[in-house]
């Protein structure tokens, strides 16, 4: 169990309700309306990523936040996670990882 906390992964931790991006963690608010508002603002701010302070990195983070409350986005996030895990576990043409 000690190594479980050090394991790097990406997504939303269902136990702690935190966004996990490697070693970086950000807790989400308890209010669904506030989570949706934060997600929408992140996506909108990411669309303005060409401006100096904002960045395009905000779009995937906003979609990740929105996927916590919107079932159709949650399904797509889970399908993407399964595809990514299968793709990462399959050896490439040289037989090495």
């Amino acid at each position: 169990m000690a190594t479980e906390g050090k394991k790097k992964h990406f997504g939303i931790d269902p136990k702690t309700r935190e966004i996990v991006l490697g070693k970086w963690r950000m807790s989400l608010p308890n209010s669904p309306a506030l989570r949706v508002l934060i997600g929408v603002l992140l996506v909108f701010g990411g669309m303005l990523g060409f401006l100096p302070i904002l960045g395009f990195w905000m779009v995937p983070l906003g979609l990740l936040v929105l996927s916590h409350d919107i079932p159709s986005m949650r399904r797509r996030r889970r399908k993407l996670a399964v595809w990514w895990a299968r793709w990462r576990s399959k050896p490439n043409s040289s037989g090495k990882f």
Side-chain angles (χ1 to χ4, degrees):
M1 289 224 168
T3 60
E4 187 175 310
K6 294 181 181 180
K7 184 168 51 168
K8 291 183 181 180
H9 68 285
F10 302 92
I12 297 177
D13 187 359
K15 295 177 186 173
T16 61
R17 200 179 311 158
E18 293 179 329
I19 293 179
V20 181
L21 299 170
K23 292 183 179 180
W24 184 74
R25 291 178 168 263
M26 182 183 84
S27 58
L28 291 172
N30 290 331
S31 168
L34 189 56
R35 284 192 303 262
V36 169
L37 177 66
I38 290 171
V40 168
L41 289 175
L42 282 168
V43 170
F44 180 71
M47 298 293 181
L48 301 174
F50 57 88
L51 296 173
I53 295 175
L54 305 174
F56 295 111
W57 58 269
M58 296 170 75
V59 174
L61 183 61
L63 293 175
L64 182 64
V65 171
L66 287 172
S67 73
H68 189 69
D69 291 312
I70 300 174
S72 63
M73 293 185 75
R74 187 179 314 129
R75 281 190 295 271
R76 289 185 183 131
R77 176 177 46 94
R78 288 181 183 163
K79 285 181 181 181
L80 179 66
V82 168
W83 172 82
W84 182 258
R86 287 182 183 164
W87 184 79
R88 294 280 300 173
S89 68
K90 129 177 116 165
N92 60 16
S93 60
S94 65
K96 298 178 183 177
F97 284 91

